[in-house]
Amino acid sequence: MKIKNRLESIIAQSLHSLSLPNDKVIVSEASKIEFGDYQFNGMMAIAKKMKTNPRELALLVMNNIKDDEMIAKMEVAGAGFINIWLKDNFLSSNINILLNDDRLGVAKSLKTQRVVLDYSSPNMGKQMHVGHLRSTIIGDALGNLFEFLGDEVIRQNHIGDWGTQFGMLIAYLEENKTSSNSSLSDLESFYQNAKKRFAEDEAFANKSRENVVKLQAKEEHALKLWDEFIDTSLHHCEYVYDKLGVNLKREDIRGESFYNDDLPVLLEDLDKLNLLTQSQGASCVFLNENLPPVIVKKSDGAYLYATTDLSALRYRTKQLNASRICYVADSRQAEHFKQIFEVAQKASFVEEQTRLEHIGFGMVMDKSGKPFKSRDGGTVKLIDLLDEAILRAGESIKKRDEYSEVELQNIASIVGIGAVKYADLSLHRESNYMFDWNKMLSFEGNTALYIQYAYARINSILERFDGKLDGNVLIGDELEHRLALMLLRFEDVLLKASLEAMPHVISSYLYDLVTLFMKFYENNPILKDGIQKDVKMSRLILSFATANIIKKALKILGIKVANKI
RNA sequence: GCGUUCGUAGCUCAGCUGGAUAGAGCACUCGCCUUCUAAGCGAGCGGUCUCAGGUUCGAAUCCUGACGGACGUACCA
């Protein structure tokens, strides 16, 4: 439920009826427990504007507030802060919506927007590597989030499936077709071998170049080979997506090749709009002084990444009717996106109100702060990284308990993959992050395992109870009050995460929630002897509601839970 | 050179649309299992928020400058 909103409008009303400025009332969570549940800090600024004493004005506003549903008490403190405590009754009576409702009390947004989300975008000539990890994970989590909040999300996997290297790759594919089916099993070495052939054998190199021409001309045989290559390559990706638990499907693919035919048209259109300038043999669009020009056609006649991106942008507004277009891509590409957004606006490829966003992220570093590489200095294949995560998780789990082989594999996968994703999603996406196996697979601190473990413990309590949850929440102490409130804050948290496209807002919340639950669990026995029946039921309900929120929040992040760890 | 961005505890990070005494985790020290999963909880230790100015009743947060790092800087993606 939207708690902040409600408090804000209650305060705004009071301000309004006193003829005080009330346009941007912002209520925030209290910075300290002693200050209550929420606080309003705006009185000092308003008093300043009205040239009166802030404390006196705050008192006036506070006493003018009419609400007998949510607010238990208020006080004016310090320089003129208004501190707010919520009613136990209000909290407890709303917990029930967290029990059986799949939306957990989160409203669907009233105006659905159509959002195009561009993420992952692997290169078909190569195996997926760590470089694709962040875009894939962050993009997928944001997709889940937007969707859950009610937007219509169109995922677009802008795969790299076109370019001169494919002439070489399909030449090599044809050459090795009869020898072995497994020649494509490792794209990396396939690419290396093809490259080697290209360098060493003139006839092969010529064949490769011919293939490029044939592909451009849509020659049937060449296209068939290309199709075959892309299909196999996509299977590699899908294998990774499946292991990662990522929602990208075949129908989300709209690769570079899709826009091929449009590129000459795009050039013509830019030309008609008088946006093209010939410079050193290349066709460019010049922008303002702060941005370098965008080259849309090279002097040798070839198109570039920027050209395809412009075409895609146009397709996404004109054909897909997106009102918001998000690119989940490396922060280093910030300037590139700035450029193409500006060209698209100049050329009216997008509507004026279309929201264009580059959702950037930092790099993955190793412990010494250098870009993350494998031991031999090469890129780390994503699939190897995931397998290692699962292996490490399994080793770690094995030490603690007895499991059947099937059980172990299942939990190891949930924990291992969860660890990798959570480590990424729990940090501010814009900053570089340090890849550290020990840290991400730790049971302590803000990690997936700590959260998943809490879920498993709650599950264990509920299993042990093995009865029907039927009763009311009775808030008996400060901890239960805080826990109930934390649970009800879920919607506010999702909205904030969505607004800023920041998944870590969700993970911080989860960590706070679980920490709080653990305190509650230590101090407020549930199934132990001597606990009154209604108190027991109340605590069970709080626990169940916590489990539901954990499960849902993790699901949005793309992370699974296990009933037992 | 120009541009973008970052600089918070020994380490890894939150907090940044200005608010009250700057928060976590790890590490370190010490407590808590005949009691619901101790993979947990509690306590302690640890800070001139890089520096210098400015705006403000109030600055880690906004502005300017300096220093330090990362990244980008027209025919790669």
Side-chain angles (χ1 to χ4, degrees):
Chain A
M1 62 189 318
K2 297 185 183 75
I3 298 179
K4 263 192 212 183
N5 249 330
R6 287 178 62 167
L7 290 173
E8 281 162 4
S9 61
I10 287 169
I11 289 171
Q13 254 170 46
S14 171
L15 289 168
H16 178 74
S17 75
L18 292 167
S19 303
L20 292 167
N22 58 83
D23 45 334
K24 41 180 183 206
V25 173
I26 293 171
V27 167
S28 50
E29 280 112 38
S31 57
K32 280 185 168 42
I33 300 168
E34 308 91 85
F35 300 154
D37 297 324
Y38 288 89
Q39 61 185 71
F40 176 59
N41 305 330
M43 285 318 302
M44 281 81 86
I46 294 174
K48 178 102 187 161
K49 211 178 278 178
M50 308 302 292
K51 295 190 166 69
T52 55
N53 180 301
R55 281 193 65 104
E56 280 170 23
L57 195 65
L59 269 172
L60 204 65
V61 170
M62 183 183 87
N63 290 327
N64 187 43
I65 285 173
K66 309 222 170 10
D67 172 85
D68 45 17
E69 197 195 338
M70 292 179 87
I71 299 172
K73 89 174 168 167
M74 288 178 285
E75 69 173 22
V76 170
F81 301 92
I82 298 182
N83 295 336
I84 303 167
W85 283 258
L86 299 187
K87 283 187 174 175
D88 284 344
N89 204 6
F90 169 77
L91 299 176
S92 60
S93 64
N94 278 293
I95 290 293
N96 286 319
I97 54 176
L98 304 177
L99 303 183
N100 301 308
D101 172 22
D102 184 52
R103 296 202 56 80
L104 301 179
V106 178
K108 271 205 168 168
S109 118
L110 292 173
K111 48 174 175 65
T112 300
Q113 4 171 31
R114 186 174 283 198
V115 183
V116 161
L117 194 61
D118 181 317
Y119 67 101
S120 195
S121 310
N123 191 312
M124 291 296 102
K126 291 181 183 170
Q127 206 109 357
M128 284 186 84
H129 57 86
V130 212
H132 300 109
L133 185 65
R134 300 207 73 189
S135 173
T136 307
I137 292 178
I138 294 169
D140 205 55
L142 290 175
N144 295 340
L145 175 63
F146 296 161
E147 229 157 41
F148 184 65
L149 289 176
D151 284 334
E152 186 188 345
V153 176
I154 303 179
R155 294 171 158 82
Q156 293 278 282
N157 194 354
H158 193 83
I159 60 172
D161 61 357
W162 205 252
T164 50
Q165 76 271 28
F166 288 96
M168 175 183 87
L169 290 168
I170 64 172
Y172 191 71
L173 177 67
E174 187 165 34
E175 203 173 74
N176 292 276
K177 225 172 164 186
T178 43
S179 59
S180 131
N181 299 337
S182 62
S183 58
L184 247 178
S185 63
D186 183 342
L187 275 175
E188 215 59 37
S189 52
F190 186 90
Y191 185 86
Q192 294 307 326
N193 292 338
K195 220 171 143 184
K196 214 168 147 192
R197 288 280 291 133
F198 189 90
E200 289 170 356
D201 187 333
E202 189 60 29
F204 181 85
N206 285 332
K207 177 103 183 151
S208 300
R209 291 187 200 100
E210 278 166 32
N211 279 337
V212 175
V213 178
K214 284 179 180 171
L215 278 174
Q216 303 282 7
K218 297 189 185 156
E219 201 262 341
E220 203 179 322
H221 180 65
L223 270 186
K224 208 181 141 215
L225 282 170
W226 174 80
D227 255 334
E228 200 176 312
F229 183 88
I230 299 299
D231 185 60
T232 312
S233 189
L234 274 177
H235 275 112
H236 286 282
C237 293
E238 280 159 353
Y239 183 69
V240 172
Y241 290 156
D242 188 53
K243 193 162 269 195
L244 247 188
V246 158
N247 281 316
L248 283 167
K249 302 280 178 286
R250 281 270 164 142
E251 58 265 31
D252 301 322
I253 288 169
R254 202 126 307 160
E256 289 172 355
S257 64
F258 178 83
Y259 302 100
N260 260 341
D261 295 342
D262 184 50
L263 302 182
V265 182
L266 186 103
L267 261 284
E268 269 176 44
D269 292 342
L270 287 172
D271 199 25
K272 275 182 209 153
L273 293 161
N274 284 322
L275 290 173
L276 281 191
T277 309
Q278 299 302 317
S279 173
Q280 297 167 36
S283 306
C284 316
V285 180
F286 279 83
L287 301 164
N288 62 57
E289 292 154 12
N290 301 321
L291 284 173
V294 182
I295 296 179
V296 285
K297 192 177 182 184
K298 301 204 292 184
S299 49
D300 68 1
Y303 300 107
L304 298 106
Y305 180 52
T307 327
T308 315
D309 260 345
L310 281 170
S311 174
L313 205 39
R314 178 156 81 166
Y315 173 79
R316 289 164 185 184
T317 34
K318 306 291 183 198
Q319 311 297 317
L320 299 179
N321 289 313
S323 54
R324 179 181 182 188
I325 304 174
C326 305
Y327 292 83
V328 185
D330 199 320
S331 287
R332 285 175 297 187
Q333 296 184 49
E335 194 167 64
H336 162 76
F337 284 113
K338 222 181 262 177
Q339 286 174 303
I340 64 155
F341 290 168
E342 188 153 330
V343 174
Q345 273 152 356
K346 269 186 142 175
S348 300
F349 290 166
V350 297
E351 312 295 329
E352 215 159 296
Q353 67 275 13
T354 310
R355 205 168 137 194
L356 303 173
E357 276 170 87
H358 169 217
I359 298 174
F361 53 82
M363 294 188 290
V364 183
M365 312 296 234
D366 62 21
K367 265 195 249 180
S368 62
K370 296 192 187 103
F372 193 69
K373 291 273 167 64
S374 65
R375 266 182 214 93
D376 57 20
T379 53
V380 180
K381 286 184 205 160
L382 202 40
I383 197 69
D384 293 345
L385 185 130
L386 298 182
D387 284 337
E388 183 167 355
I390 294 169
L391 194 73
R392 282 174 182 263
E395 291 301 320
S396 161
I397 289 162
K398 254 199 298 208
K399 288 185 203 146
R400 304 287 172 169
D401 210 343
E402 294 290 321
Y403 299 94
S404 72
E405 191 52 33
V406 177
E407 209 174 18
L408 182 70
Q409 275 313 305
N410 181 42
I411 299 173
S413 160
I414 291 172
V415 169
I417 300 295
V420 171
K421 292 176 107 171
Y422 194 90
D424 194 313
L425 296 170
S426 60
L427 294 179
H428 196 290
R429 63 173 161 75
E430 299 270 19
S431 50
N432 295 341
Y433 94 87
M434 225 152 275
F435 194 93
D436 181 343
W437 284 117
N438 292 332
K439 204 183 147 198
M440 74 173 69
L441 282 164
S442 168
F443 314 99
E444 293 155 335
N446 189 6
T447 66
L449 194 43
Y450 177 74
I451 315 273
Q452 286 167 327
Y453 174 66
Y455 180 86
R457 280 179 94 169
I458 297 173
N459 193 260
S460 158
I461 298 165
L462 294 171
E463 269 178 13
R464 197 175 276 260
F465 167 67
D466 194 28
K468 195 167 170 246
L469 287 184
D470 186 18
N472 294 308
V473 170
L474 312 163
I475 290 177
D477 63 11
E478 177 72 28
L479 271 176
E480 294 184 351
H481 177 93
R482 285 167 56 202
L483 180 59
L485 173 58
M486 186 68 97
L487 291 166
L488 293 173
R489 279 183 44 209
F490 189 48
E491 182 169 12
D492 281 344
V493 170
L494 293 186
L495 288 171
K496 187 180 178 204
S498 162
L499 189 72
E500 298 166 8
M502 290 287 189
H504 86 283
V505 169
I506 300 175
S507 20
S508 311
Y509 164 77
L510 264 179
Y511 181 62
D512 290 344
L513 170 65
V514 167
T515 306
L516 190 54
F517 178 82
M518 284 300 183
K519 283 183 191 150
F520 157 80
Y521 173 87
E522 291 287 330
N523 291 289
N524 302 23
I526 302 168
L527 298 179
K528 291 184 184 176
D529 292 341
I531 306 297
Q532 271 191 325
K533 206 178 160 197
D534 54 348
V535 172
K536 181 190 285 185
M537 191 53 72
S538 165
R539 290 177 181 171
L540 278 165
I541 290 173
L542 281 171
S543 303
F544 183 53
T546 304
N548 284 344
I549 297 273
I550 291 174
K551 191 175 181 177
K552 179 64 82 183
L554 283 179
K555 185 162 190 205
I556 289 171
L557 295 178
I559 297 170
K560 293 178 184 152
V561 290
N563 288 334
K564 176 192 162 188
I565 288 180

